[in-house]
Amino acid sequence: VLKARAVRSWTYLWSVWLFVMLVLVCALRVPFRISDSVSAVSMFLNTLTPKFYVALTGTSSLISGLILIFEWWYFRKYGTSFIEQVSVSHLRPLLGGVDNSSPTNSNTSNGDADSSRQSVSECKVWRNPLNLFRGAEYNRYTWVTGREPLTYYDMNLSAQDHQTFFTCDSDHLRPADAIMQKAWRERNPQARISAAHEALDLEDCATAYILLAEEEATTIVEAEKLFKQALKAGESCYRRSQQVQHHGAQHEAQHRRDTNVLVYIKRRLAMCSRKLGRTREAVKMMRDLMKEFPLLSMFNIHENLLESLLELQAYADVQAVLAKYDDISLPKSATICYTAALLKARAVSDKFSPEAASRRGLSPAEMNAVEAIHRAVEFNPHVPKYLLEMKSLILPPEHILKRGDSEAIAYAFFHLQHWKRVEGALNLLHCTWEGTFRMIPYPLEKGHLFYPYPICTETADRELLPVFHEVSVYPKKELPFFILFTAGLCSFTAMLALLTHQFPELMGVFAKAFLSTLFAPLNFIMEKVENILPSSLWHQLTRI
């Protein structure tokens, strides 16, 4: 590495030396006439009219304005300066920047490696456990507003989930499952629905009923009827595959697929009951499902259960669920952190007053509530603005990024009503949530109770959330230097163009005086050089 850097440095020095020598050879082939050159420049500047200065400053203002607009658009879309990115990515290596592929940079400490692995895991996109129904909810929103609430990236992730959960290698043995395997890969919704009907014409297919309930049903009642039909078909397939699951790897994969299908159907039926107002029935179905399949934590059914228990105001049961899932070894979520904060705030929020607290100090119970709020805000700092209605809500996406804006929308969409129901809870949140940021002045470098805030959330959220939503960014980014520079340059040159147009003679005198002052040191140096050197250095060298 050192040898390569030495060779590169010598190459740069030889290139610079050759360039300087070529310039000297070209300049010294004729006698020095520096004073004549300076006088010619002065004569040229004296012949310039005010119109030239107006055109020059106007053109400069236009160019800098275009650069400003492009820089601002690029910064709003990608969160960084285009000029800065090009400088770091392309110019820095040419000027001898550090080589990222060098072995010295690849040797990182164990702590840095663990931190990077944690950052990657936190930037993983998760299935939204409370995702809405496409036909009965997302499509109805599109019919009313004419806007698409789901992005292509989000729907593509859902298609991948469906292929993972609802298909297996033995689908070709059953004609209906073979059709549905192709249906889950279709991009056109109508083609998927037609394929599901085709599969049902052959036999009762649970996954075909699932697709129709998710995408064709226009109401929750219709979706529930289709899921009940899917439940009958799914239970039948599950019992058959359960009996032969140990006969080989193919039968085991089929049983795993049938288990995923059955769990999905029961969970969506419980969500239908919750949406139709039968909350106690939904809670019972979720509890039974968690007892029957305790190892399937990927569906995060406990988050559905927490929301339903909060609707019933069964706070003791909510605390029992939190005691089981709010564990240091389990991945956190905004639902767990903010629900724990809500329960602690409920104990003190009805009597909390910021004036009284400032006089007498916080009681132990109030301190616990404030610490729980700070913990929740550190995990996901985007949620309070939605709960306090400082930012408008949209329909939550089908996938969320933990600690990101997408998770905050998904949480606030379903839990805002629970915070409003607890008297004084939002007031306590309003008075205390911003205090979190004093404990973590550099959240991207070091956290307080959690790992540093991942830097990848903004990019992933922009892919998950629709374009009409303004993505919440944390920590708030300052405007890059080049945007401020181009804004100042554009304003300055536009002002000069306006003044030159209004007062041409005065600005002409000012421009000549400015240029004369600017070139005065250069003229002085050139006169001294001309007095020291002979009139034709190259002529003298040839004589020698």
Side-chain angles (χ1 to χ4, degrees):
V1 174
L2 294 175
K3 183 178 180 180
R5 289 182 179 176
V7 171
R8 185 169 55 187
S9 301
W10 278 107
T11 304
Y12 288 156
L13 290 176
W14 274 103
S15 301
V16 172
W17 184 82
L18 288 175
F19 177 76
V20 172
M21 291 302 296
L22 287 174
V23 171
L24 287 176
V25 167
C26 294
L28 298 178
R29 287 181 65 87
V30 296
F32 271 18
R33 293 292 183 266
I34 299 176
S35 57
D36 296 345
S37 302
V38 172
S39 60
V41 171
S42 302
M43 185 179 300
F44 172 74
L45 293 176
N46 290 330
T47 57
L48 295 178
T49 63
K51 291 183 179 180
F52 171 80
Y53 293 108
V54 173
L56 178 65
T57 53
T59 306
S60 302
S61 177
L62 176 62
I63 294 174
S64 56
L66 293 176
I67 296 175
L68 172 63
I69 294 172
F70 176 76
E71 274 281 295
W72 177 255
W73 169 82
Y74 195 88
F75 174 73
R76 295 286 294 177
K77 186 172 183 180
Y78 300 104
T80 184
S81 167
F82 174 77
I83 300 176
E84 182 179 348
Q85 186 178 13
V86 170
S87 302
V88 172
S89 302
H90 302 285
L91 298 183
R92 186 180 177 185
L94 295 177
L95 297 177
V98 179
D99 190 0
N100 293 330
S101 61
S102 62
T104 56
N105 290 338
S106 63
N107 297 328
T108 57
S109 63
N110 293 333
D112 294 340
D114 294 340
S115 176
S116 63
R117 282 197 296 269
Q118 179 67 21
S119 177
V120 170
S121 66
E122 286 188 350
C123 290
K124 175 185 175 182
V125 176
W126 299 72
R127 181 82 177 178
N128 183 6
L130 296 169
N131 64 309
L132 305 177
F133 294 86
R134 281 198 191 177
E137 291 172 309
Y138 287 121
N139 287 348
R140 290 169 68 91
Y141 176 84
T142 303
W143 297 336
V144 173
T145 63
R147 297 191 295 188
E148 290 290 341
L150 297 176
T151 63
Y152 174 76
Y153 176 68
D154 192 13
M155 292 188 289
N156 187 45
L157 290 176
S158 297
Q160 295 177 17
D161 292 340
H162 294 154
Q163 294 176 48
T164 302
F165 293 147
F166 303 149
T167 63
C168 66
D169 295 336
S170 62
D171 283 344
H172 64 278
L173 300 176
R174 293 189 291 191
D177 289 336
I179 294 174
M180 289 308 301
Q181 190 176 41
K182 296 179 180 179
W184 293 121
R185 298 173 181 171
E186 282 286 348
R187 294 186 179 181
N188 187 358
Q190 293 301 322
R192 290 196 297 270
I193 293 173
S194 300
H197 283 292
E198 183 182 350
L200 288 176
D201 291 338
L202 299 177
E203 59 177 333
D204 272 354
C205 181
T207 54
Y209 284 120
I210 289 176
L211 193 148
L212 295 179
E214 291 285 353
E215 301 193 20
E216 188 181 41
T218 57
T219 63
I220 300 298
V221 175
E222 294 178 14
E224 186 181 34
K225 291 180 180 178
L226 289 168
F227 273 120
K228 287 181 178 178
Q229 293 176 280
L231 181 62
K232 295 179 182 179
E235 286 179 336
S236 176
C237 292
Y238 176 76
R239 285 192 295 267
R240 288 198 303 267
S241 63
Q242 189 178 26
Q243 296 173 357
V244 296
Q245 61 174 315
H246 302 296
H247 292 181
Q250 188 174 0
H251 294 285
E252 185 178 354
Q254 188 173 347
H255 177 67
R256 191 183 308 115
R257 189 276 308 271
D258 293 337
T259 303
N260 292 336
V261 170
L262 185 62
V263 172
Y264 186 89
I265 293 171
K266 290 186 175 182
R267 174 173 161 270
R268 293 303 258 178
L269 276 173
M271 294 178 67
C272 288
S273 299
R274 167 68 184 91
K275 293 176 183 293
L276 295 174
R278 305 193 304 269
T279 310
R280 294 188 183 277
E281 179 185 342
V283 169
K284 183 180 182 304
M285 295 173 67
M286 292 174 192
R287 289 187 184 277
D288 294 341
L289 186 58
M290 293 170 66
K291 289 179 182 178
E292 187 178 0
F293 302 98
L295 299 179
L296 290 179
S297 59
M298 58 186 171
F299 290 101
N300 291 326
I301 305 172
H302 61 276
E303 297 197 9
N304 299 84
L305 180 60
L306 283 173
E307 197 279 327
S308 299
L309 291 173
L310 287 172
E311 177 64 21
L312 294 175
Q313 301 183 39
Y315 298 111
D317 294 335
V318 172
Q319 185 62 53
V321 176
L322 286 178
K324 183 178 180 181
Y325 288 97
D326 193 2
D327 187 79
I328 191 172
S329 61
L330 297 176
K332 296 292 184 293
S333 66
T335 300
I336 290 176
C337 294
Y338 278 90
T339 302
L342 176 61
L343 291 187
K344 292 186 177 180
R346 175 177 170 269
V348 298
S349 60
D350 56 338
K351 299 178 181 178
F352 177 78
S353 172
E355 294 80 8
S358 62
R359 288 195 305 268
R360 58 175 170 78
L362 295 175
S363 65
E366 290 173 339
M367 184 65 70
N368 290 336
V370 172
E371 288 177 354
I373 290 176
H374 286 175
R375 172 179 180 260
V377 173
E378 181 184 353
F379 182 82
N380 194 317
H382 308 282
V383 173
K385 288 188 177 181
Y386 294 106
L387 292 180
L388 298 173
E389 298 181 272
M390 301 166 60
K391 206 171 184 332
S392 59
L393 275 172
I394 61 172
L395 294 185
E398 293 183 339
H399 289 81
I400 59 174
L401 181 71
K402 289 192 175 183
R403 307 187 74 177
D405 191 30
S406 52
E407 185 191 33
I409 292 172
Y411 172 80
F413 186 85
F414 294 99
H415 289 261
L416 176 58
Q417 56 181 334
H418 307 316
W419 280 81
K420 288 184 175 180
R421 189 179 293 121
V422 177
E423 182 182 358
L426 290 176
N427 179 44
L428 179 61
L429 177 67
H430 175 71
C431 296
T432 57
W433 74 279
E434 291 182 333
T436 310
F437 307 128
R438 289 194 292 269
M439 299 185 297
I440 43 175
Y442 305 103
L444 299 179
E445 301 174 7
K446 184 179 180 181
H448 180 60
L449 298 174
F450 298 98
Y451 284 91
Y453 190 79
I455 60 176
C456 60
T457 55
E458 181 185 357
T459 304
D461 280 332
R462 291 187 188 278
E463 296 286 340
L464 290 171
L465 298 173
V467 293
F468 56 82
H469 173 72
E470 184 180 355
V471 176
S472 178
V473 179
Y474 174 80
K476 210 67 178 175
K477 293 184 178 180
E478 298 181 357
L479 287 178
F481 165 76
F482 289 105
I483 290 183
L484 301 176
F485 176 76
T486 51
L489 181 63
C490 177
S491 303
F492 178 70
T493 51
M495 182 184 67
L496 285 181
L498 180 63
L499 292 175
T500 306
H501 180 71
Q502 294 293 330
F503 311 102
E505 296 181 358
L506 181 62
M507 290 301 295
V509 173
F510 173 78
K512 293 173 184 177
F514 175 76
L515 292 175
S516 301
T517 306
L518 183 65
F519 285 107
L522 181 62
N523 293 337
F524 177 78
I525 294 173
M526 297 303 263
E527 289 177 0
K528 293 296 183 181
V529 171
E530 187 177 19
N531 293 333
I532 295 174
L533 296 178
S535 59
S536 179
L537 181 60
W538 181 256
H539 181 67
Q540 297 292 337
L541 291 175
T542 53
R543 289 183 60 185
I544 294 176

